[in-house]
């Protein structure tokens, strides 16, 4: 859905100039993000050689990881379409385009906030405020999956590593409380009116969450199941990459536990996808080094996951943005 500005009715030539200026700006920012992480990466030569060497023996597993990428984002599109259904009925193709366009914006915006702007390009203008709340619910569903599996990973870590118990109990308690709060907000947000103080900030929160009342429990449960399935997909991708580039022991329950712990800690660290690869690499070294494998292998696995799940689909997202009409006059149709 294009954005409607009466200003462009008076100066139509400015519409094209402004629209293409925005598209070129997005291209430059996306190019800089990819250039900084890929072409300016000091280890890129070593990683390329290492990937080529390992790919000859594990090409089938790497092919599976690649094929899981579109499945990953298709699940996100289905989840978002499900949550948008009470607001606007979207086709699967339109939902997937919106998700990929949103991913492109996340490459250079903090904490994925650009995701909303990219998706709203495909929503009718009067519905965008309501759609924002539905998108928030989708993020809550994905956060519930991350916290839920991360909590299990923390419990396993505390059981098998005695030195981890004190911090594990504290972190587990925080995760458990956060999980309960998110589930409560998702299913029973109407009860917050009785729990929050009668302050301006509290009423502002209530107003933003009011749209959640429109979602049936079945819809929310469906979104949570899709979020869990999507979590399983990208966890499997990372486990397979660690198996290929680091150590065969990662293809086990402990490997899945380590990756779940990785995603939990990563979620707690604010970042921009532009800088996310460096954060992922350092975090992966801290969590996976004790499990065996070389530093190069661990960094290569993190790099490969970033390229497959973020860089490649963000390029497709930009192509969608490139051919999308952003602005139209007030009298023209949507």
């Amino acid at each position: 859905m294009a954005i409607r500005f009466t200003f462009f009715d008076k100066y139509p030539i400015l519409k094209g100039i402004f629209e293409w200026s925005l598209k070129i700006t997005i291209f430059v920012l996306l190019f800089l993000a990819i250039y900084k992480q890929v072409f300016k990466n000091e280890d890129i030569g070593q990683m390329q050689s290492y990937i080529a060497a390992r790919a000859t023996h594990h090409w089938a597993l790497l092919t599976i990881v690649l094929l899981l990428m579109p499945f990953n984002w298709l699940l996100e599109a289905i989840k978002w379409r499900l949550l948008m259904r009470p607001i606007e009925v979207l086709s699967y193709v339109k939902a997937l385009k919106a998700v990929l366009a949103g991913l492109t914006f996340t490459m250079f915006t903090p904490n994925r906030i650009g995701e909303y702007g990219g998706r709203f390009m495909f929503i009718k203008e009067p519905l965008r405020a309501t759609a924002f709340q539905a998108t928030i619910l989708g993020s809550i569903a994905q956060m519930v999956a991350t916290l839920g599996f991360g909590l299990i990973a923390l419990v396993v870590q505390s059981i098998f590593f005695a030195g981890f118990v004190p911090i594990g109990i504290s972190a587990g308690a925080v995760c458990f409380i956060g999980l309960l709060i998110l589930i409560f907000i998702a299913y029973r947000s109407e009860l917050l009116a009785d729990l929050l103080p009668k302050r301006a900030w509290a009423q502002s929160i209530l107003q933003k969450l009011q749209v959640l009342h429109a979602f049936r429990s079945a819809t929310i449960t469906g979104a949570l199941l899709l979020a869990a399935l999507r979590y399983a997909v990208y966890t499997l991708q990372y486990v397979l990459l660690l198996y290929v580039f680091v150590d065969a022991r990662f293809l086990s329950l402990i490997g899945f536990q380590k990756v779940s712990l990785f995603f939990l800690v990563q979620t707690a660290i604010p970042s921009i996808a532009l800088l996310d690869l460096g954060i992922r690499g350092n975090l992966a070294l801290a969590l996976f080094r004790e499990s065996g494998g070389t530093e190069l292998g661990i960094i290569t696995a993190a790099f490969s996951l970033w390229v497959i799940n973020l860089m490649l689909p963000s390029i497709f997202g930009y192509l969608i943005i490139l051919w999308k009409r952003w602005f139209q006059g007030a009298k023209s149709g949507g």
Side-chain angles (χ1 to χ4, degrees), residues 267-330:
T267 301
I269 303 174
S271 67
I272 302 175
L274 172 63
L275 309 173
D276 195 32
L277 182 56
I279 296 172
R280 285 172 182 243
N282 291 327
L283 180 58
L285 285 173
L287 292 178
F288 301 146
R289 186 180 282 140
E290 64 182 30
S291 300
T294 63
E295 180 176 317
L296 178 61
I298 294 172
I299 294 295
T300 301
F303 173 81
S304 300
L305 189 70
W306 185 87
V307 168
I308 293 169
N309 276 357
L310 287 177
M311 192 192 84
L312 292 179
S314 70
I315 293 174
F316 286 113
Y318 178 72
L319 294 177
I320 292 169
I321 292 171
L322 185 64
W323 298 108
K324 174 72 178 171
R325 285 186 59 199
W326 284 24
F327 303 100
Q328 63 181 29

Side-chain angles (χ1 to χ4, degrees), residues 51-257:
I51 291 172
R54 304 295 287 182
T56 57
H57 302 289
H58 300 286
W59 62 269
L61 291 178
L62 292 176
T63 300
I64 292 173
V65 174
L66 282 169
L67 292 177
L68 285 173
M69 180 266 284
F71 186 52
N72 172 23
W73 291 108
L74 180 61
L75 286 173
E76 176 62 23
I78 294 172
K79 176 170 65 107
W80 191 60
R81 179 181 181 273
L82 173 67
L83 293 171
M84 283 296 300
R85 197 160 55 189
I87 303 165
E88 180 180 359
V89 178
L90 303 173
S91 67
Y92 289 104
V93 172
K94 190 173 184 180
L96 183 59
K97 286 181 178 180
V99 165
L100 292 177
L103 178 63
T104 301
F105 280 92
T106 66
M107 292 292 286
F108 41 81
T109 54
N111 295 331
R112 304 180 65 87
I113 59 174
E115 177 180 71
Y116 304 112
R119 293 188 184 192
F120 294 166
M121 290 169 55
F122 295 83
I123 301 298
K124 295 175 183 177
E125 189 174 357
L127 303 176
R128 286 175 184 163
T130 309
F132 177 78
Q133 316 305 333
T135 308
I136 287 291
L137 183 55
S139 298
I140 289 175
Q142 206 61 53
M143 182 65 72
V144 166
T146 301
L147 287 179
F149 287 104
L151 181 59
I152 296 172
L154 278 171
V155 171
V156 172
Q157 185 79 9
S158 297
I159 291 173
F160 285 94
F161 300 95
F164 190 79
V165 170
I167 189 173
I169 292 175
S170 301
V174 171
C175 286
F176 184 69
I177 294 171
L179 193 60
L180 291 180
I181 291 174
L182 289 176
I183 292 175
F184 179 81
I185 290 174
Y187 282 98
R188 302 304 300 271
S189 60
E190 71 278 4
L191 298 180
L192 289 176
D194 299 325
L195 298 176
L196 292 177
K198 306 299 181 182
R199 304 287 183 124
W201 63 268
Q203 296 307 308
S204 176
I205 293 175
L206 287 174
Q207 187 177 8
K208 288 180 172 62
L209 295 176
Q210 188 175 11
V211 71
L212 299 184
H213 304 173
F215 294 97
R216 296 186 300 174
S217 295
T219 300
I220 298 173
T221 302
L224 288 171
L225 291 174
L226 286 167
L229 182 56
R230 182 172 173 240
Y231 181 93
V233 168
Y234 58 71
T235 299
L236 176 60
Q237 285 179 294
Y238 204 3
V239 167
L240 291 176
L241 288 172
L242 289 167
Y243 173 84
V244 170
F245 295 121
V246 182
D247 193 277
R249 288 175 292 179
F250 274 98
L251 196 59
S252 64
L253 290 177
I254 295 299
F256 280 90
Q257 179 266 334

